[in-house]
Amino acid sequence: MTDRIERLEAQVNALAQGWLRLAAILEVEGLVAPGRIDRALKPVQWPGQPIEAEATKTLAWLCDQLAEARDARRTSAGG
């Protein structure tokens, strides 16, 4: 069971990293306005589902990571 959980964690992490990079590319290329993805995803909910609390927290974390990357790009471009 531990191996299965570790594989699942690795898969989720890979998906998160891929999603973050894709979202960043869309913003950098000007295909999506900065912050638009965050604003679209933050209100997503899974009412009545047992996954809601963890899913909402994870989605917020992804949006925070995207915002931090955006800030880092802005800082490096300005300096």
Side-chain angles (χ1 to χ4, degrees):
M1 184 65 139
T2 300
D3 289 342
R4 188 173 172 199
I5 291 171
E6 288 176 0
R7 280 195 314 271
L8 181 59
E9 287 176 344
Q11 291 167 346
V12 170
N13 187 36
L15 288 169
Q17 291 300 316
W19 181 88
L20 287 168
R21 290 170 192 264
L22 175 61
I25 288 169
L26 292 173
E27 287 185 0
V28 168
E29 295 294 322
L31 300 171
V32 175
R36 185 172 182 190
I37 294 172
D38 308 37
R39 289 188 301 275
L41 293 177
K42 284 188 177 181
V44 173
Q45 296 181 353
W46 294 262
Q49 298 296 315
I51 62 161
E52 182 173 21
E54 194 62 36
T56 302
K57 184 170 54 172
T58 301
L59 202 50
W61 176 83
L62 281 169
C63 290
D64 291 345
Q65 293 297 303
L66 185 57
E68 286 180 25
R70 187 181 311 116
D71 291 344
R73 289 192 305 272
R74 193 175 305 131
T75 299
S76 69

